[in-house]
């Protein structure tokens, strides 16, 4: 059976005096289910990438130790041979796609490990069926929701048949029902096919009867240690409906009989909506229902039927720049929003163009950085930050722009509980202080009680307001 061994492994992207990983020793038991935890930026993604043989080829340097796949240094094994034994699902599935459709993507991956052509078709079919996404086989990946893309990426990993499956925040954009289904599928792979599962996650619910071992990276010394199941029990808080608050006033943004469709599939029947002012709402619904498409329509990035109004004026009469000064869309993928190279440069650009110059002073920006635990990363390269850190910078830079309406697409993805609380506190403070409105898409529900003012739910092509029992 294939073994993967981490021995005294230390790694740094930039500064050897402040390594991302320090003296890691770990040999996951073959055929086990392992959960890897730790705060945002603690080094979980870096460790998984190193174990998959992607580092240091794609950045950084090994300071001490090594990682071996059986008898070979893992990053020296030929990629197509390594992929037969280790498959990795990235935090951002878009970074794994090279082909236009799911079927073509899985076929391409199998061709790259030189699987005989006679076996490829069956592998593609089986992996799509396992994830219950056969209906998406020939749909353009670019039109899929974040959760659907994650399922396609996982189907690709499953098709490879690797002994080790490494997953970096695989459920960040997946709805709760799909998350449980995928967890059971991974457990089935472990038990029935002796796969070794190593999964990094911030949401610790649902793992109690699944995992064999739990490991955590200490953010202070960046070392790895094994912990017990008490961390799972402490985090096991069930989802619920939030206490809806009465609308005080309504914002100028109003949707009149707005309808949405993608590739001839109706997502939203003609609907009337108006965002309340100075409140934070949650837009919930299963993956693929059209939540992100609605945001794209409101921000004029996709077609829609009906009318979107600002006060008494049709939004289509506004120039692109004028509409962008009213609607701030925070993308699902943080990297897609960055313009500059470093944290300081990105924030400086937002400060230059802010609509709230008296509010976003240098002192307030520094306070926000400290609040988000980013004060020590002002000069860091944005593309070398962890996914959670990138998300924090993205949201802060967009809040600094100061538009009256913010649409936040999965702003909490990749964040630990403490970071979620800090992020939501900053968002709410900004809205309250400046009378701004925000609607947020999130499959993360735990810890939102003190922040969400109302919830809209999208299902069956309709948006309804959720009222607590």
């Amino acid at each position: 059976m294939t073994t993967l061994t981490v021995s005294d492994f230390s790694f740094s992207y930039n500064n050897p005096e402040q390594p991302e990983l320090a003296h890691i020793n770990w040999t996951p038991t073959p055929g086990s289910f392992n959960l890897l935890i730790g705060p945002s930026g603690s080094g979980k993604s870096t460790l998984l990438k190193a174990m998959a043989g992607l580092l240091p080829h794609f950045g950084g340097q090994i300071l001490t130790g090594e990682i071996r796949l059986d008898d070979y240094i893992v990053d020296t094994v030929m990629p197509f041979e390594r992929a037969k034994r280790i498959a990795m699902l990235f935090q951002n599935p878009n970074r794994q796609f090279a082909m236009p459709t799911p079927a073509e993507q899985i076929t391409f991956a199998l061709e790259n490990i030189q699987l005989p052509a006679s076996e490829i078709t069956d592998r593609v079919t089986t992996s799509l069926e396992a994830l219950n996404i056969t209906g998406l086989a020939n749909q353009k990946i670019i039109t899929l929701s974040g959760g659907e893309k994650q399922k396609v990426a996982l189907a690709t990993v499953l098709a490879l048949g690797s002994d080790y499956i490494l997953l970096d925040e695989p459920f960040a954009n997946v709805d709760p029902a799909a998350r449980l289904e995928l967890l059971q599928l991974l457990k089935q792979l472990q038990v029935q096919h002796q796969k070794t599962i190593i999964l990094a996650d911030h949401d610790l619910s649902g793992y109690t009867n699944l995992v064999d071992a739990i490991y955590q990276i200490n953010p202070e010394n960046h070392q790895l240690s094994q912990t017990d199941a008490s961390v799972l029990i402490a985090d096991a808080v069930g989802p619920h409906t939030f206490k809806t608050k009465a609308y005080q006033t309504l914002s100028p943004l109003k949707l009149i009989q707005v309808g949405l469709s993608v590739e001839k599939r109706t997502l939203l029947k003609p609907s009337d909506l108006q965002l309340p002012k100075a409140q934070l709402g949650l837009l919930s619904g299963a993956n693929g229902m059209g939540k992100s498409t609605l945001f794209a329509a409101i921000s004029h990035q996709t077609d829609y039927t009906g009318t979107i109004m600002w006060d008494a004026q049709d939004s289509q009469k506004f120039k692109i720049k004028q509409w962008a000064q009213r609607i701030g869309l925070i993308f699902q993928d943080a990297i897609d929003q960055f313009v500059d190279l470093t944290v300081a440069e990105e924030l400086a650009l937002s400060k230059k163009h802010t609509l709230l110059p008296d509010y976003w002073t240098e002192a307030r920006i520094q306070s926000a950085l400290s609040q988000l635990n980013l004060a020590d990363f002002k000069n860091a390269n944005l593309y070398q930050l962890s996914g959670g850190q990138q998300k924090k910078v993205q949201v802060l830079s967009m809040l600094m722009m100061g538009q009256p309406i913010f649409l936040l697409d999965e702003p909490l993805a990749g964040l630990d509980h403490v970071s979620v609380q800090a992020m939501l506190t900053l968002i709410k403070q900004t809205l309250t202080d400046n009378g701004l409105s925000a609607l947020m898409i999130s499959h993360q529900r735990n810890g939102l009680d003190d922040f969400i003012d109302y919830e809209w739910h999208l299902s069956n092509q309709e948006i309804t307001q959720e009222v607590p029992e």
Side-chain angles (χ1 to χ4, degrees):
M1 184 175 286
T2 301
T3 60
L4 188 61
T5 304
V6 184
S7 302
D8 193 37
F9 186 78
S10 301
F11 183 88
S12 172
Y13 284 111
N14 295 305
N15 185 359
E17 300 300 321
Q18 296 178 325
E20 275 69 26
L21 299 171
H23 305 290
I24 303 291
N25 290 284
W26 187 19
T27 302
T29 302
S32 63
F33 195 127
N34 305 271
L35 179 62
L36 180 62
I37 65 176
S40 301
S42 59
K44 300 185 301 299
S45 298
T46 299
L47 179 57
L48 292 182
K49 289 176 183 177
M51 294 173 74
L54 301 176
L55 301 176
H57 286 305
F58 295 98
Q61 58 182 315
I62 297 173
L63 304 177
T64 65
E66 62 185 17
I67 300 177
R68 285 187 173 270
L69 179 64
D70 290 333
D71 296 327
Y72 303 93
I73 302 295
V74 65
D75 62 287
T76 65
V77 179
M78 292 295 292
F80 78 93
E81 289 289 352
R82 192 169 64 226
K84 293 177 183 178
R85 294 163 177 79
I86 308 173
M88 182 171 176
L89 180 63
F90 296 155
Q91 194 172 104
N92 184 345
N94 286 325
R95 303 295 175 250
Q96 291 189 240
F97 300 138
M99 305 300 285
T101 69
E104 291 173 292
Q105 175 62 33
I106 298 171
T107 299
F108 177 72
L110 296 175
E111 289 173 342
N112 272 275
I113 64 169
Q114 301 181 9
L115 190 73
S118 59
E119 299 180 31
I120 288 179
T121 300
D122 286 343
R123 286 265 194 114
V124 172
T125 300
T126 300
S127 63
L128 289 171
E129 289 176 347
L131 272 296
N132 196 28
I133 54 172
T134 302
L136 303 179
N138 298 307
Q139 189 169 323
K140 299 293 185 184
I141 290 176
I142 195 173
T143 68
L144 302 181
S145 71
E148 289 171 331
K149 290 176 181 177
Q150 199 71 300
K151 292 180 183 179
V152 172
L154 183 54
T156 306
V157 167
L158 297 181
L160 293 171
S162 309
D163 297 315
Y164 285 78
I165 301 178
L166 315 183
L167 305 104
D168 189 5
E169 297 286 348
F171 312 123
N173 299 320
V174 177
D175 64 75
R179 180 179 186 273
L180 291 176
E181 290 177 10
L182 295 178
L183 277 172
Q184 292 298 328
L185 174 62
L186 290 171
K187 187 64 178 180
Q188 182 180 337
L189 286 170
Q190 177 219 348
V191 173
Q192 296 184 6
H193 302 280
Q194 291 73 55
K195 304 297 183 183
T196 306
I197 311 296
I198 304 174
L199 193 156
D201 202 350
H202 287 300
D203 183 351
L204 306 186
S205 59
Y207 286 106
T208 303
N209 298 317
L210 295 181
V211 298
D212 299 309
I214 306 168
Y215 296 86
Q216 62 183 359
I217 298 180
N218 187 317
E220 299 298 326
N221 59 24
H222 300 282
Q223 294 182 354
L224 184 76
S225 61
Q226 189 168 358
T227 186
D228 58 44
S230 62
V231 296
L232 304 182
I233 297 172
D235 196 75
V237 180
H240 56 275
T241 304
F242 305 103
K243 294 180 180 179
T244 301
K245 300 177 183 177
Y247 296 168
Q248 300 298 322
T249 57
L250 295 174
S251 76
L253 180 67
K254 185 176 183 179
L255 280 61
I256 303 174
Q257 291 296 288
V258 168
L260 303 171
S261 62
V262 59
E263 294 195 348
K264 299 181 180 180
R265 179 167 64 97
T266 299
L267 298 176
L268 179 65
K269 297 174 184 176
S271 303
D272 295 338
L273 297 168
Q274 188 164 9
L275 264 67
K277 189 175 183 180
Q279 290 190 343
L280 174 61
L282 176 70
L283 178 60
S284 62
N287 294 126
M289 290 295 102
K291 302 184 299 298
S292 295
T293 304
L294 176 61
F295 278 11
I298 295 173
S299 58
H300 288 181
Q301 297 191 59
T302 194
D303 295 332
Y304 58 90
T305 58
T307 307
I308 297 177
M309 303 288 291
W310 188 269
D311 286 331
Q313 189 171 0
D314 187 335
S315 65
Q316 293 293 340
K317 295 182 179 180
F318 289 89
K319 295 180 180 180
I320 294 176
K321 182 177 179 180
Q322 292 176 319
W323 194 240
Q325 290 176 333
R326 288 164 171 78
I327 308 294
L329 174 61
I330 297 177
F331 299 159
Q332 192 169 107
D333 297 330
I335 289 179
D336 294 341
Q337 200 127 36
F338 295 144
V339 177
D340 278 298
L341 185 62
T342 70
V343 173
E345 291 169 340
E346 191 73 18
L347 297 182
L349 186 63
S350 292
K351 189 173 188 297
K352 178 180 178 181
H353 296 283
T354 182
L355 300 175
L356 301 169
D358 294 335
Y359 184 77
W360 287 108
T361 62
E362 284 296 334
R364 187 176 297 279
I365 295 170
Q366 185 59 43
S367 175
L369 286 169
S370 298
Q371 185 176 342
L372 297 175
N373 198 26
L374 290 172
D376 295 333
F377 295 91
K378 287 185 66 175
N379 297 315
N381 185 316
L382 287 165
Y383 301 92
Q384 291 184 342
L385 296 176
S386 73
Q389 290 170 324
Q390 289 174 341
K391 184 64 70 174
K392 292 176 185 179
V393 176
Q394 175 202 21
V395 172
L396 174 56
S397 65
M398 286 301 296
L399 289 177
M400 287 173 58
M401 294 297 293
Q403 292 99 325
I405 303 289
F406 284 109
L407 306 175
L408 302 98
D409 197 347
E410 297 286 359
L412 310 179
L415 298 183
D416 59 87
H417 177 75
V418 173
S419 295
V420 166
Q421 298 295 296
M423 179 81 85
L424 289 173
T425 298
L426 178 64
I427 292 171
K428 283 286 287 187
Q429 180 182 357
T430 303
L431 300 182
T432 303
D433 290 350
N434 299 285
L436 312 179
S437 302
L439 184 61
M440 176 178 75
I441 297 171
S442 179
H443 293 296
Q444 160 77 41
R445 298 182 69 91
N446 292 342
L448 272 60
D449 305 61
D450 297 331
F451 304 97
I452 299 299
D453 297 307
Y454 65 94
E455 178 179 356
W456 288 347
H457 187 73
L458 175 55
S459 64
N460 300 319
Q461 305 169 354
E462 295 181 341
I463 292 180
T464 57
Q465 180 160 341
E466 293 291 285
V467 178
E469 297 180 358

